[in-house]
Amino acid sequence: IGLILASANLRSVLAEAIVEVTPLSVLATLPGQALAVLLCAGALWALRPGVGYLGCLGSRLMRDGGGNLPIFLPGFGEALGARALVLAGGQTRAAISASAIDRVAESAAQVPFIALAAWLLWREWQVTLDWLPVAFAIAVLLLAVWLLWRRFGASSKLGLRIASEWRKFVEEARQQRRGLPLCLGLHFLAWLAGGVQIW
């Protein structure tokens, strides 16, 4: 969103895309989206979160829906997805670690597509950015992290509790990492399905 706001070229492309989108074009994306969701559910299931494929499918639907609706609440979709795994019968820590590993795998499988998109933006559209808003946003983020660390540092009760839970989380994640190669592969195929959707 920051890149779009900072670039007049990207804003004009977005405005053109909004005009061109029709109900039929939206309908045409549904098969690719359905395939991507089914593959993503399989990727989550490969991490063995303690529930079956249908529970993982429900978790992915909740995660994707929750992540798309409240766009100003980062992590809301992931929290909903992990909770859906628990409600489907999974253990809390296993659900959280599987959701987190799945999120990392999904992002890692997207790296080649991000690199291609960045290359196309600069090559085809000669994007020019005003870097001041971007630098300001990064500075505010770093300041917020520093203030939170000072307030809730590692020696506080909260910090000690977080460290303890983190160790347990890492142990759970170690048990689930055997499914990571399959998870990555399925996410890669899901990103390809997303490319078919756009086409």
Side-chain angles (χ1 to χ4, degrees), residues 124-191:
E124 298 296 325
W125 292 330
Q126 289 85 39
V127 175
T128 56
L129 297 176
D130 178 4
W131 288 103
L132 188 59
V134 176
F136 179 74
I138 291 171
V140 168
L141 178 65
L142 291 174
L143 178 64
V145 168
W146 180 74
L147 289 172
L148 285 171
W149 180 253
R150 285 200 50 162
R151 175 68 179 96
F152 303 107
S155 60
S156 69
K157 281 185 179 180
L158 179 60
L160 294 172
R161 175 72 189 268
I162 289 172
S164 171
E165 286 300 320
W166 177 255
R167 284 191 295 275
K168 294 173 185 174
F169 170 81
V170 168
E171 183 58 37
E172 189 71 45
R174 280 192 184 123
Q175 296 174 15
Q176 293 173 331
R177 69 180 176 191
R178 286 174 294 193
L180 193 55
L182 178 58
C183 181
L184 281 166
L186 290 172
H187 275 304
F188 180 76
L189 293 176
W191 284 116

Side-chain angles (χ1 to χ4, degrees), residues 97-114:
S97 63
S99 294
I101 293 169
D102 183 60
R103 184 63 165 139
V104 169
E106 185 174 9
S107 297
Q110 188 184 19
V111 168
F113 300 99
I114 293 171

Side-chain angles (χ1 to χ4, degrees), residues 25-158:
S25 64
V26 172
L27 186 63
T29 67
L30 291 182
Q33 182 63 35
L35 177 59
V37 169
L38 292 172
L39 288 166
C40 286
L44 179 58
W45 176 80
L47 297 173
R48 302 291 187 252
V51 300
Y53 178 80
L54 289 178
C56 291
L57 179 60
S59 172
R60 277 304 306 210
L61 291 172
M62 292 296 291
R63 176 176 141 186
D64 292 344
N68 289 332
L69 291 177
I71 58 173
F72 298 111
L73 291 174
F76 183 72
E78 285 77 7
L80 278 179
R83 182 66 180 148
L85 288 175
V86 172
L87 293 176
Q91 297 296 315
T92 302
R93 195 169 286 115
I96 292 171
S97 63
S99 294
I101 293 169
D102 183 60
R103 184 63 165 139
V104 169
E106 185 174 9
S107 297
Q110 188 184 19
V111 168
F113 300 99
I114 293 171
L116 177 61
W119 179 74
L120 286 173
L121 280 174
W122 268 265
R123 184 178 180 277
E124 298 296 325
W125 292 330
Q126 289 85 39
V127 175
T128 56
L129 297 176
D130 178 4
W131 288 103
L132 188 59
V134 176
F136 179 74
I138 291 171
V140 168
L141 178 65
L142 291 174
L143 178 64
V145 168
W146 180 74
L147 289 172
L148 285 171
W149 180 253
R150 285 200 50 162
R151 175 68 179 96
F152 303 107
S155 60
S156 69
K157 281 185 179 180
L158 179 60

